[in-house]
Amino acid sequence: MPSMDLRPLLQDNGSKIILYVWDGLGDIPSGPKGLTPLQAARTPNADRLAREGVSGRLEPVYPGVTPGSGPGHLGLFGYDPIEYPIGRGALEAAGVGFDFRHGDVAARLNFCTLDAQGRITDRRAGRIPSDESAEVVRRLAEAVKEVDGVQVLWAPVKEHRALMVLRGEGLGDGVHDTDPQQTGVPPLAAKASGETAADARTAAVAQKVLQAAMAAIRREKKANGILARGFAKRPHWPSVQERFGVRAAVIAGTPMYRGVAKLVGMEEQPATNEIAKDVASLAAAWNRYDFFFIHYKHTDKAGEDGDFDAKVHYIEEADAGLPALEELGPDVLMVTADHSTPAAMKGHSWHPVPVVLRAKTVCRDAVERFDEISCIQGWIGLRPSTHLMPLALAHAGRLAKFGA
Amino acid sequence: MPSMDLRPLLQDNGSKIILYVWDGLGDIPSGPKGLTPLQAARTPNADRLAREGVSGRLEPVYPGVTPGSGPGHLGLFGYDPIEYPIGRGALEAAGVGFDFRHGDVAARLNFCTLDAQGRITDRRAGRIPSDESAEVVRRLAEAVKEVDGVQVLWAPVKEHRALMVLRGEGLGDGVHDTDPQQTGVPPLAAKASGETAADARTAAVAQKVLQAAMAAIRREKKANGILARGFAKRPHWPSVQERFGVRAAVIAGTPMYRGVAKLVGMEEQPATNEIAKDVASLAAAWNRYDFFFIHYKHTDKAGEDGDFDAKVHYIEEADAGLPALEELGPDVLMVTADHSTPAAMKGHSWHPVPVVLRAKTVCRDAVERFDEISCIQGWIGLRPSTHLMPLALAHAGRLAKFGA
């Protein structure tokens, strides 16, 4: 079902909504007694929400489709990730918390290793450590600052990955990747994929930038070449304030999640990835916003590491953050996840995520525990994650009647 | 998911379908022991249907969106209310049971109070009682019957509200409201919002009509001005017969529901809002139609009044209407609602409504009671209400195989 335009129905009644995301929470049974980490964990607070509220399951992108962190969060924010695609470069810029402006063109970079003839011998430069890579990026930032009137900005990401941003008037993002996706050949030249003058100019500038950059690092042992991918502008999306009428704050200790939230107009608050401090940061912003997205990271990391016990531990830590959020008296309080990260799979997966929502107007169901299996019986049912935002707005009293 | 065109699959096997709507039935737990009115009510007949049939929940418009009565019913009739919007004027015309024809342009009127300088002092004319208002409408009907060859028709609605219908060749409904939405200024002139000659002509006619009408009531103390809103033509929708191959009858004691049913081509039968009589009216039409929409109003009224006990009482009354419908031997018998009207909220809400369907071909589920919570476990699941009509047609044997 395509997203409905809710703007004609919006009404501001001063109510407050909290969306508490336990990253990668969803899982499959792989623990002792065939439990999921969420079933094995003691979560007295989320269980109380399940008894007092309504539960269900959210499907992040499309049945069977495993979301990256960007799409996983966009769905929860009410942006269908298929309707709202993000270019790789834009996501990387959001991900490192880069001050990514409208008109900028970003590309993801991989450092690679070239032989004496300029042919690629390793597309990831031996996955050099992040600090070595950051040093190379510093050198680039010194060496290549401007080309043909276009400002060039560089930022490290992680290991062999980095970010390049072109800033200037009239740039386009219709530019092909320069990564040939194989070794034994040189990097490709940057060529326009679009047909506009902006694309052609940007391809030409990017080509000069990459040539100058590779010249500047040619004496590096490993990272002496650069492959650029996913040229992308910042998308011109309507903000959550425009689409849903809420002033929104993001409290997320990891740049990636802050970045995605900022793409939809949420305003950044201090955050540390220590849940007690992050809840305090949310509380400090309580009077200034209507909608609060607070992010808990460690559950996902434990899943990625395949560490069942650590995931149980971090779920319990996330649960312990709930009472302080409840004390603020939100009209709608939700706990859910951006995607599943089953410990047995050591990575993201397509499994729908459990969700619980508490508000005065819920039609309380029979669910008594917050976990993947109990939630199947809940009032919310199984839905695309994009349905969560309209349900939250309704329970917050923020949607007027449709038609007479 | 967009609606599928079912026409190539339709087959007429002479089967009969009854859709029995308990208006505003859905609710949330607010009674003694935390029950919903439907849980608290004794509904032996609907419970029997639940045991012998299949249950589930229908979402009327969109997740979180509270439907008005028009959209709520359209969904049940298989018309997505977002794909099939109704202009305010058209809905008002349907709502008072006006003989609203293709080509007519209807507008909602508010009587208002003007001061000596013609400025609005009260946009609702002190919400004058319906009988006073009806008297003013009678005066208008005498005074303004035709302008520039266009016939002008007037009908009272309720309190300060009335209906104006322009009938003639070549009218358009691209006309702005004349309500300035504030006091201290005069009503706006009627101006075209569209760019067609029909819109321009209609705006000019409407302006002359409103001027003449206000001159005719200028000595009224309260209702001496008129504001017109929501100019709209009768929508050109395919009928249920065209889309679903059924000759359909509506048995509804309240003009609003009859009006909406007639917009999709259902034919009006006598109705009183007394369920035994209305069932008898349906029985009298049994041989002439394939599809019967019978409407029970009082449950909604009790919800709007916030009267839990009355809602329980009326649910039991609605339930008592079932055996006589069953005796007719319908191939498909359905009970559901157009929307929820929780007594605790004293108004419509977005909560999905319970539905039960009995037919020879059901895959009987484990649901034993007809209520909001039991239905969560049912075979029908949670669906947009537009899915009900194709399911009914299928269980009636009216849909042929798709593809080979």
Side-chain angles (χ1 to χ4, degrees):
Chain A
M1 157 169 29
S3 299
M4 178 175 177
D5 181 2
L6 298 175
R7 288 173 303 173
L9 307 181
L10 298 176
Q11 53 193 14
D12 186 354
N13 63 350
S15 58
K16 306 267 189 189
I17 300 169
I18 296 178
L19 171 65
Y20 186 13
V21 173
W22 301 3
D23 201 302
L25 172 65
D27 213 296
I28 60 178
S30 69
K33 303 183 202 160
L35 298 177
T36 69
L38 182 53
Q39 287 179 310
R42 291 182 35 131
T43 53
N45 299 302
D47 292 348
R48 179 162 31 75
L49 290 189
R51 286 194 301 276
E52 297 172 358
V54 286
S55 303
R57 292 178 300 154
L58 302 176
E59 201 152 52
V61 177
Y62 192 78
V65 172
T66 296
S69 297
H73 277 89
L74 284 176
L76 296 176
F77 302 156
Y79 292 71
D80 182 337
I82 299 173
E83 278 179 61
Y84 293 88
I86 315 185
R88 283 261 160 187
L91 192 62
E92 199 81 312
V96 298
F98 188 86
D99 172 29
F100 191 41
R101 304 182 190 170
H102 285 298
D104 291 355
V105 173
R108 284 181 65 167
L109 307 180
N110 275 11
F111 289 118
C112 63
T113 309
L114 305 178
D115 66 15
Q117 283 72 44
R119 293 173 306 213
I120 303 166
T121 57
D122 183 337
R123 288 179 50 246
R124 296 186 181 82
R127 289 191 187 273
I128 54 169
S130 299
D131 54 352
E132 254 182 62
S133 174
E135 182 51 41
V136 180
V137 171
R138 260 191 298 277
R139 190 127 15 106
L140 290 175
E142 281 298 313
V144 188
K145 295 181 174 174
E146 195 189 307
V147 167
D148 292 352
V150 172
Q151 194 182 350
V152 188
L153 304 156
W154 307 84
V157 177
K158 195 179 172 188
E159 297 175 345
H160 59 285
R161 284 161 39 210
L163 176 75
M164 172 181 80
V165 177
L166 307 179
R167 179 170 290 167
E169 295 295 312
L171 296 177
D173 60 4
V175 179
H176 281 295
D177 294 353
T178 69
D179 184 350
Q181 298 280 350
Q182 55 180 306
T183 55
V185 297
L188 302 171
K191 287 187 181 157
S193 62
E195 303 196 345
T196 68
D199 291 337
R201 174 171 176 241
T202 308
V205 169
Q207 179 59 14
K208 284 190 192 173
V209 169
L210 292 169
Q211 290 297 344
M214 287 193 269
I217 60 175
R218 69 180 184 283
R219 303 214 187 282
E220 285 291 322
K221 285 218 173 97
K222 290 178 182 160
N224 65 347
I226 298 175
L227 304 173
R229 296 196 292 169
F231 287 83
K233 283 184 147 176
R234 178 172 171 167
H236 275 281
W237 292 343
S239 67
V240 285
Q241 177 138 20
E242 291 168 89
R243 290 189 62 208
F244 305 122
V246 288
R247 295 165 301 167
V250 44
I251 302 95
T254 307
M256 169 71 187
Y257 311 104
R258 270 204 303 276
V260 174
K262 286 163 72 179
L263 284 180
V264 297
M266 297 194 194
E267 291 182 14
E268 174 178 349
Q269 309 300 313
T272 62
N273 271 330
E274 284 180 51
I275 190 59
K277 288 186 187 169
D278 290 354
V279 170
S281 172
L282 187 157
W286 189 245
N287 292 328
R288 287 181 285 124
Y289 299 93
D290 310 306
F291 184 98
F292 301 83
F293 156 49
I294 178 166
H295 182 263
Y296 182 85
K297 172 66 185 167
H298 306 302
T299 34
D300 179 55
K301 182 67 167 49
E304 297 263 13
D305 292 344
D307 190 337
F308 186 96
D309 294 337
K311 192 160 177 186
V312 169
H313 168 77
Y314 287 121
I315 287 170
E316 293 179 348
E317 188 174 281
D319 187 71
L322 273 169
L325 292 174
E326 295 180 69
E327 269 175 33
L328 295 166
D331 297 278
V332 177
L333 174 57
M334 299 174 282
V335 177
T336 189
D338 52 341
H339 54 73
S340 294
T341 308
M345 296 173 67
K346 296 189 180 181
H348 294 195
S349 79
W350 63 90
H351 301 84
V353 297
V355 59
V356 63
L357 179 156
R358 190 177 66 187
K360 283 206 188 98
T361 44
V362 294
C363 181
R364 219 164 42 238
D365 55 34
V367 177
E368 304 212 328
R369 278 219 33 153
F370 182 57
D371 64 56
E372 296 87 347
I373 310 304
S374 302
C375 282
I376 295 174
Q377 313 295 332
W379 177 90
I380 291 176
L382 170 62
R383 304 170 169 276
S385 63
T386 48
H387 289 192
L388 186 63
M389 181 61 99
L391 287 175
L393 294 171
H395 281 287
R398 286 178 168 270
L399 293 182
K401 188 157 68 176
F402 173 76
Chain B
M1 160 169 27
S3 300
M4 178 174 176
D5 181 2
L6 298 175
R7 289 174 301 174
L9 308 182
L10 297 176
Q11 54 194 13
D12 185 353
N13 63 352
S15 58
K16 307 268 189 190
I17 300 169
I18 295 177
L19 171 65
Y20 186 13
V21 174
W22 301 3
D23 201 303
L25 172 65
D27 213 297
I28 62 178
S30 69
K33 302 183 203 162
L35 297 177
T36 69
L38 183 53
Q39 287 180 312
R42 290 180 37 130
T43 53
N45 299 302
D47 292 349
R48 179 162 31 76
L49 290 189
R51 287 194 302 276
E52 297 173 359
V54 287
S55 304
R57 292 181 300 152
L58 302 176
E59 201 153 50
V61 177
Y62 191 79
V65 172
T66 296
S69 297
H73 278 90
L74 284 177
L76 296 176
F77 302 155
Y79 292 71
D80 181 336
I82 300 173
E83 276 179 61
Y84 293 89
I86 314 186
R88 282 259 162 190
L91 193 62
E92 199 81 312
V96 298
F98 188 87
D99 173 27
F100 191 43
R101 304 183 190 167
H102 285 299
D104 291 354
V105 173
R108 283 182 67 168
L109 307 181
N110 274 10
F111 289 117
C112 63
T113 308
L114 306 178
D115 66 14
Q117 283 71 45
R119 293 173 305 212
I120 301 166
T121 57
D122 183 337
R123 287 179 52 246
R124 295 184 183 83
R127 289 190 188 274
I128 53 169
S130 300
D131 53 353
E132 255 181 63
S133 176
E135 181 52 42
V136 179
V137 171
R138 260 191 299 277
R139 189 132 9 112
L140 290 175
E142 281 298 311
V144 188
K145 294 180 174 173
E146 196 189 307
V147 167
D148 292 353
V150 172
Q151 193 182 351
V152 187
L153 303 157
W154 306 85
V157 176
K158 195 181 171 186
E159 296 176 345
H160 58 286
R161 283 159 42 209
L163 176 76
M164 174 180 78
V165 176
L166 307 179
R167 177 170 291 166
E169 295 296 311
L171 297 177
D173 61 3
V175 178
H176 281 297
D177 294 353
T178 70
D179 183 350
Q181 299 280 350
Q182 55 179 310
T183 55
V185 297
L188 303 172
K191 287 189 181 154
S193 61
E195 304 197 344
T196 68
D199 291 337
R201 172 169 178 243
T202 307
V205 168
Q207 179 59 15
K208 285 190 192 174
V209 168
L210 292 169
Q211 289 296 345
M214 286 193 271
I217 59 174
R218 69 179 184 281
R219 301 215 190 282
E220 286 290 321
K221 286 220 173 94
K222 291 178 182 163
N224 65 348
I226 298 175
L227 305 173
R229 297 195 290 169
F231 286 84
K233 284 183 147 177
R234 177 172 171 166
H236 274 282
W237 293 344
S239 67
V240 284
Q241 177 137 21
E242 292 168 90
R243 290 187 64 206
F244 305 123
V246 289
R247 292 165 303 165
V250 45
I251 301 96
T254 306
M256 170 73 185
Y257 312 104
R258 269 204 304 277
V260 175
K262 285 162 72 179
L263 284 179
V264 297
M266 296 194 195
E267 292 181 13
E268 175 179 350
Q269 307 303 311
T272 62
N273 271 330
E274 284 181 50
I275 189 60
K277 289 186 187 169
D278 290 354
V279 171
S281 172
L282 187 156
W286 189 245
N287 292 327
R288 286 181 286 126
Y289 298 95
D290 310 307
F291 184 98
F292 301 84
F293 156 49
I294 177 165
H295 182 263
Y296 182 85
K297 172 67 184 166
H298 306 302
T299 33
D300 178 55
K301 181 68 169 46
E304 297 263 13
D305 293 343
D307 190 337
F308 186 96
D309 293 338
K311 192 160 177 186
V312 170
H313 168 77
Y314 287 120
I315 287 170
E316 294 179 350
E317 187 172 282
D319 187 71
L322 274 169
L325 292 173
E326 295 179 70
E327 270 175 33
L328 294 167
D331 297 277
V332 176
L333 174 58
M334 300 175 282
V335 177
T336 188
D338 52 341
H339 54 75
S340 294
T341 306
M345 296 175 70
K346 295 188 180 182
H348 293 194
S349 80
W350 63 91
H351 300 85
V353 297
V355 59
V356 63
L357 180 156
R358 190 179 65 186
K360 284 207 187 96
T361 44
V362 293
C363 181
R364 219 165 44 239
D365 55 33
V367 177
E368 306 212 329
R369 278 218 36 151
F370 182 56
D371 66 56
E372 295 87 348
I373 309 305
S374 301
C375 281
I376 295 175
Q377 314 296 333
W379 178 90
I380 292 177
L382 169 63
R383 304 166 171 276
S385 63
T386 48
H387 288 193
L388 185 62
M389 182 60 100
L391 288 175
L393 294 172
H395 281 289
R398 286 178 168 272
L399 292 182
K401 188 158 66 178
F402 175 77

PDB file of all heavy atoms in Angstrom, chain A residues 4 6-7 10 77-79 239-246 389-390 393 398:
ATOM      1  N   MET A   4       0.088   7.027   2.676  1.00  0.00           N
ATOM      2  CA  MET A   4      -0.969   8.034   2.590  1.00  0.00           C
ATOM      3  C   MET A   4      -0.382   9.383   2.995  1.00  0.00           C
ATOM      4  O   MET A   4       0.450   9.462   3.891  1.00  0.00           O
ATOM      5  CB  MET A   4      -2.092   7.646   3.550  1.00  0.00           C
ATOM      6  CG  MET A   4      -3.240   8.642   3.578  1.00  0.00           C
ATOM      7  SD  MET A   4      -4.593   8.027   4.620  1.00  0.00           S
ATOM      8  CE  MET A   4      -5.717   9.436   4.524  1.00  0.00           C
ATOM      9  N   LEU A   6      -0.605  12.251   5.089  1.00  0.00           N
ATOM     10  CA  LEU A   6      -1.339  12.523   6.332  1.00  0.00           C
ATOM     11  C   LEU A   6      -1.449  14.008   6.645  1.00  0.00           C
ATOM     12  O   LEU A   6      -2.123  14.388   7.604  1.00  0.00           O
ATOM     13  CB  LEU A   6      -0.650  11.808   7.505  1.00  0.00           C
ATOM     14  CG  LEU A   6      -0.597  10.277   7.422  1.00  0.00           C
ATOM     15  CD1 LEU A   6       0.217   9.708   8.577  1.00  0.00           C
ATOM     16  CD2 LEU A   6      -2.010   9.695   7.455  1.00  0.00           C
ATOM     17  N   ARG A   7      -0.796  14.857   5.836  1.00  0.00           N
ATOM     18  CA  ARG A   7      -0.727  16.275   6.206  1.00  0.00           C
ATOM     19  C   ARG A   7      -2.079  16.944   6.448  1.00  0.00           C
ATOM     20  O   ARG A   7      -2.226  17.694   7.408  1.00  0.00           O
ATOM     21  CB  ARG A   7       0.087  17.053   5.157  1.00  0.00           C
ATOM     22  CG  ARG A   7       1.581  16.733   5.244  1.00  0.00           C
ATOM     23  CD  ARG A   7       2.353  17.371   4.114  1.00  0.00           C
ATOM     24  NE  ARG A   7       1.818  16.941   2.832  1.00  0.00           N
ATOM     25  CZ  ARG A   7       2.202  17.430   1.665  1.00  0.00           C
ATOM     26  NH1 ARG A   7       3.139  18.354   1.616  1.00  0.00           N
ATOM     27  NH2 ARG A   7       1.676  16.967   0.539  1.00  0.00           N
ATOM     28  N   LEU A  10      -3.237  16.362  10.131  1.00  0.00           N
ATOM     29  CA  LEU A  10      -2.383  16.619  11.292  1.00  0.00           C
ATOM     30  C   LEU A  10      -2.977  17.672  12.217  1.00  0.00           C
ATOM     31  O   LEU A  10      -3.500  18.691  11.775  1.00  0.00           O
ATOM     32  CB  LEU A  10      -0.996  17.086  10.833  1.00  0.00           C
ATOM     33  CG  LEU A  10      -0.198  16.080  10.002  1.00  0.00           C
ATOM     34  CD1 LEU A  10       1.111  16.711   9.528  1.00  0.00           C
ATOM     35  CD2 LEU A  10       0.071  14.807  10.799  1.00  0.00           C
ATOM     36  N   PHE A  77      10.760   5.548  10.822  1.00  0.00           N
ATOM     37  CA  PHE A  77      10.442   6.983  10.817  1.00  0.00           C
ATOM     38  C   PHE A  77       9.261   7.285   9.880  1.00  0.00           C
ATOM     39  O   PHE A  77       8.884   8.440   9.703  1.00  0.00           O
ATOM     40  CB  PHE A  77      11.646   7.813  10.365  1.00  0.00           C
ATOM     41  CG  PHE A  77      12.885   7.630  11.209  1.00  0.00           C
ATOM     42  CD1 PHE A  77      14.151   7.894  10.672  1.00  0.00           C
ATOM     43  CD2 PHE A  77      12.806   7.201  12.537  1.00  0.00           C
ATOM     44  CE1 PHE A  77      15.302   7.738  11.435  1.00  0.00           C
ATOM     45  CE2 PHE A  77      13.955   7.038  13.302  1.00  0.00           C
ATOM     46  CZ  PHE A  77      15.205   7.294  12.748  1.00  0.00           C
ATOM     47  N   GLY A  78       8.716   6.251   9.227  1.00  0.00           N
ATOM     48  CA  GLY A  78       7.565   6.461   8.340  1.00  0.00           C
ATOM     49  C   GLY A  78       7.949   6.730   6.894  1.00  0.00           C
ATOM     50  O   GLY A  78       7.126   7.158   6.102  1.00  0.00           O
ATOM     51  N   TYR A  79       9.220   6.469   6.541  1.00  0.00           N
ATOM     52  CA  TYR A  79       9.692   6.678   5.173  1.00  0.00           C
ATOM     53  C   TYR A  79       9.942   5.316   4.545  1.00  0.00           C
ATOM     54  O   TYR A  79      10.905   4.635   4.907  1.00  0.00           O
ATOM     55  CB  TYR A  79      10.986   7.506   5.168  1.00  0.00           C
ATOM     56  CG  TYR A  79      10.793   8.929   5.615  1.00  0.00           C
ATOM     57  CD1 TYR A  79      10.524   9.232   6.948  1.00  0.00           C
ATOM     58  CD2 TYR A  79      10.867   9.988   4.706  1.00  0.00           C
ATOM     59  CE1 TYR A  79      10.323  10.539   7.362  1.00  0.00           C
ATOM     60  CE2 TYR A  79      10.672  11.304   5.115  1.00  0.00           C
ATOM     61  CZ  TYR A  79      10.403  11.570   6.438  1.00  0.00           C
ATOM     62  OH  TYR A  79      10.198  12.866   6.849  1.00  0.00           O
ATOM     63  N   SER A 239      10.667  16.706   5.678  1.00  0.00           N
ATOM     64  CA  SER A 239      11.073  16.307   7.027  1.00  0.00           C
ATOM     65  C   SER A 239       9.901  15.680   7.783  1.00  0.00           C
ATOM     66  O   SER A 239       8.754  15.767   7.359  1.00  0.00           O
ATOM     67  CB  SER A 239      11.550  17.535   7.794  1.00  0.00           C
ATOM     68  OG  SER A 239      10.446  18.398   8.010  1.00  0.00           O
ATOM     69  N   VAL A 240      10.204  15.048   8.910  1.00  0.00           N
ATOM     70  CA  VAL A 240       9.127  14.524   9.760  1.00  0.00           C
ATOM     71  C   VAL A 240       8.216  15.650  10.227  1.00  0.00           C
ATOM     72  O   VAL A 240       7.014  15.442  10.416  1.00  0.00           O
ATOM     73  CB  VAL A 240       9.641  13.732  11.000  1.00  0.00           C
ATOM     74  CG1 VAL A 240      10.143  12.361  10.584  1.00  0.00           C
ATOM     75  CG2 VAL A 240      10.676  14.504  11.761  1.00  0.00           C
ATOM     76  N   GLN A 241       8.764  16.838  10.374  1.00  0.00           N
ATOM     77  CA  GLN A 241       7.896  17.963  10.764  1.00  0.00           C
ATOM     78  C   GLN A 241       6.904  18.277   9.640  1.00  0.00           C
ATOM     79  O   GLN A 241       5.716  18.473   9.890  1.00  0.00           O
ATOM     80  CB  GLN A 241       8.730  19.192  11.095  1.00  0.00           C
ATOM     81  CG  GLN A 241       7.860  20.407  11.434  1.00  0.00           C
ATOM     82  CD  GLN A 241       8.369  21.197  12.614  1.00  0.00           C
ATOM     83  OE1 GLN A 241       9.529  21.106  12.997  1.00  0.00           O
ATOM     84  NE2 GLN A 241       7.492  21.972  13.230  1.00  0.00           N
ATOM     85  N   GLU A 242       7.401  18.285   8.402  1.00  0.00           N
ATOM     86  CA  GLU A 242       6.496  18.548   7.277  1.00  0.00           C
ATOM     87  C   GLU A 242       5.486  17.422   7.084  1.00  0.00           C
ATOM     88  O   GLU A 242       4.313  17.658   6.840  1.00  0.00           O
ATOM     89  CB  GLU A 242       7.305  18.726   5.979  1.00  0.00           C
ATOM     90  CG  GLU A 242       8.134  19.993   5.943  1.00  0.00           C
ATOM     91  CD  GLU A 242       9.129  19.974   4.783  1.00  0.00           C
ATOM     92  OE1 GLU A 242       8.763  20.421   3.688  1.00  0.00           O
ATOM     93  OE2 GLU A 242      10.266  19.479   4.968  1.00  0.00           O
ATOM     94  N   ARG A 243       5.952  16.175   7.149  1.00  0.00           N
ATOM     95  CA  ARG A 243       5.053  15.054   6.845  1.00  0.00           C
ATOM     96  C   ARG A 243       4.160  14.669   8.013  1.00  0.00           C
ATOM     97  O   ARG A 243       3.037  14.220   7.820  1.00  0.00           O
ATOM     98  CB  ARG A 243       5.870  13.816   6.436  1.00  0.00           C
ATOM     99  CG  ARG A 243       6.541  13.973   5.081  1.00  0.00           C
ATOM    100  CD  ARG A 243       7.154  12.661   4.633  1.00  0.00           C
ATOM    101  NE  ARG A 243       6.152  11.627   4.464  1.00  0.00           N
ATOM    102  CZ  ARG A 243       6.374  10.322   4.602  1.00  0.00           C
ATOM    103  NH1 ARG A 243       7.585   9.890   4.926  1.00  0.00           N
ATOM    104  NH2 ARG A 243       5.407   9.444   4.444  1.00  0.00           N
ATOM    105  N   PHE A 244       4.681  14.808   9.251  1.00  0.00           N
ATOM    106  CA  PHE A 244       3.945  14.280  10.399  1.00  0.00           C
ATOM    107  C   PHE A 244       3.675  15.333  11.480  1.00  0.00           C
ATOM    108  O   PHE A 244       3.103  15.024  12.526  1.00  0.00           O
ATOM    109  CB  PHE A 244       4.698  13.084  10.997  1.00  0.00           C
ATOM    110  CG  PHE A 244       4.992  11.994   9.996  1.00  0.00           C
ATOM    111  CD1 PHE A 244       6.296  11.583   9.739  1.00  0.00           C
ATOM    112  CD2 PHE A 244       3.951  11.405   9.279  1.00  0.00           C
ATOM    113  CE1 PHE A 244       6.567  10.586   8.812  1.00  0.00           C
ATOM    114  CE2 PHE A 244       4.208  10.408   8.340  1.00  0.00           C
ATOM    115  CZ  PHE A 244       5.516   9.997   8.103  1.00  0.00           C
ATOM    116  N   GLY A 245       4.148  16.559  11.246  1.00  0.00           N
ATOM    117  CA  GLY A 245       3.818  17.651  12.167  1.00  0.00           C
ATOM    118  C   GLY A 245       4.503  17.585  13.514  1.00  0.00           C
ATOM    119  O   GLY A 245       4.021  18.178  14.476  1.00  0.00           O
ATOM    120  N   VAL A 246       5.607  16.842  13.608  1.00  0.00           N
ATOM    121  CA  VAL A 246       6.285  16.752  14.896  1.00  0.00           C
ATOM    122  C   VAL A 246       7.691  17.355  14.823  1.00  0.00           C
ATOM    123  O   VAL A 246       8.427  17.124  13.871  1.00  0.00           O
ATOM    124  CB  VAL A 246       6.389  15.287  15.403  1.00  0.00           C
ATOM    125  CG1 VAL A 246       5.017  14.788  15.837  1.00  0.00           C
ATOM    126  CG2 VAL A 246       6.993  14.367  14.357  1.00  0.00           C
ATOM    127  N   MET A 389       4.584   4.818  12.363  1.00  0.00           N
ATOM    128  CA  MET A 389       4.461   6.260  12.598  1.00  0.00           C
ATOM    129  C   MET A 389       3.001   6.713  12.602  1.00  0.00           C
ATOM    130  O   MET A 389       2.577   7.404  13.534  1.00  0.00           O
ATOM    131  CB  MET A 389       5.301   7.024  11.570  1.00  0.00           C
ATOM    132  CG  MET A 389       5.282   8.529  11.732  1.00  0.00           C
ATOM    133  SD  MET A 389       5.949   9.110  13.337  1.00  0.00           S
ATOM    134  CE  MET A 389       7.608   9.581  12.854  1.00  0.00           C
ATOM    135  N   PRO A 390       2.176   6.337  11.588  1.00  0.00           N
ATOM    136  CA  PRO A 390       0.768   6.746  11.687  1.00  0.00           C
ATOM    137  C   PRO A 390       0.067   6.187  12.921  1.00  0.00           C
ATOM    138  O   PRO A 390      -0.760   6.892  13.520  1.00  0.00           O
ATOM    139  CB  PRO A 390       0.130   6.204  10.398  1.00  0.00           C
ATOM    140  CG  PRO A 390       1.188   5.488   9.651  1.00  0.00           C
ATOM    141  CD  PRO A 390       2.507   5.753  10.276  1.00  0.00           C
ATOM    142  N   LEU A 393       1.094   8.429  15.802  1.00  0.00           N
ATOM    143  CA  LEU A 393       0.424   9.737  15.724  1.00  0.00           C
ATOM    144  C   LEU A 393      -1.033   9.611  16.160  1.00  0.00           C
ATOM    145  O   LEU A 393      -1.564  10.469  16.869  1.00  0.00           O
ATOM    146  CB  LEU A 393       0.497  10.295  14.300  1.00  0.00           C
ATOM    147  CG  LEU A 393       1.891  10.645  13.793  1.00  0.00           C
ATOM    148  CD1 LEU A 393       1.841  10.985  12.304  1.00  0.00           C
ATOM    149  CD2 LEU A 393       2.501  11.811  14.576  1.00  0.00           C
ATOM    150  N   ARG A 398      -2.895  12.925  17.362  1.00  0.00           N
ATOM    151  CA  ARG A 398      -2.410  13.923  16.410  1.00  0.00           C
ATOM    152  C   ARG A 398      -3.004  13.802  15.010  1.00  0.00           C
ATOM    153  O   ARG A 398      -2.595  14.519  14.109  1.00  0.00           O
ATOM    154  CB  ARG A 398      -0.876  13.861  16.331  1.00  0.00           C
ATOM    155  CG  ARG A 398      -0.205  14.446  17.559  1.00  0.00           C
ATOM    156  CD  ARG A 398       1.309  14.331  17.508  1.00  0.00           C
ATOM    157  NE  ARG A 398       1.911  15.159  18.551  1.00  0.00           N
ATOM    158  CZ  ARG A 398       2.264  16.425  18.379  1.00  0.00           C
ATOM    159  NH1 ARG A 398       2.096  17.007  17.212  1.00  0.00           N
ATOM    160  NH2 ARG A 398       2.791  17.107  19.378  1.00  0.00           N
TER     161      ARG A 398
END
